[in-house]
Amino acid sequence: DISRSVQMGAGNILMPGVIIEPLARIGSGNLFWSRTLICHEVIVGDHNYIAANCVVGGHSQIGDLCFMGNSSTTIDGVALADETHALPGSILFENTEAHTKYFGAPARAIGFHKDTGIVIQR
């Protein structure tokens, strides 16, 4: 369900149940997994992975190369810097720093990955 006012780049993948609300701007090469909600006036950069059941609050921004784990959430107006890694279930109440891993509710920085990029581990 994508509002007609959404601006979207090329090569995005949207799985079933994704909702993108009015006036959002989506870059290129992003993957939005099932039942994700991108609220009004959100700006999403390029090459991000937004896992199932995520919520990105209105007026928020997601940089480039970010990874939001299952059911992670940003409140309204939060900015995710490039290469932010939000672990599953995290709730981001504040802007993030680039190349940083966050976990918890509220989410706190728990690691950095500037030299390695985001590495997904079990």
Side-chain angles (χ1 to χ4, degrees), residues 37-110:
L37 171 60
I38 306 297
C39 292
H40 60 92
E41 300 170 79
V42 167
I43 299 171
V44 177
D46 299 326
H47 308 292
N48 296 290
Y49 184 100
I50 314 298
N53 299 311
C54 289
V55 176
V56 180
H59 298 280
S60 293
Q61 296 182 20
I62 298 176
D64 298 332
L65 301 168
C66 294
F67 184 101
M68 291 182 69
N70 291 337
S71 300
S72 56
T73 299
T74 73
I75 65 163
D76 291 357
V78 169
L80 273 58
D82 292 346
E83 283 195 46
T84 291
H85 181 185
L87 276 85
S90 295
I91 302 176
L92 298 142
F93 287 93
E94 298 179 358
N95 296 347
T96 67
E97 298 291 327
H99 313 286
T100 305
K101 183 187 297 188
Y102 292 85
F103 180 69
R108 300 280 183 238
I110 63 166

Side-chain angles (χ1 to χ4, degrees), residues 6-18:
V6 170
Q7 297 175 18
M8 189 174 303
N12 292 295
I13 299 171
L14 287 77
M15 300 302 284
V18 171

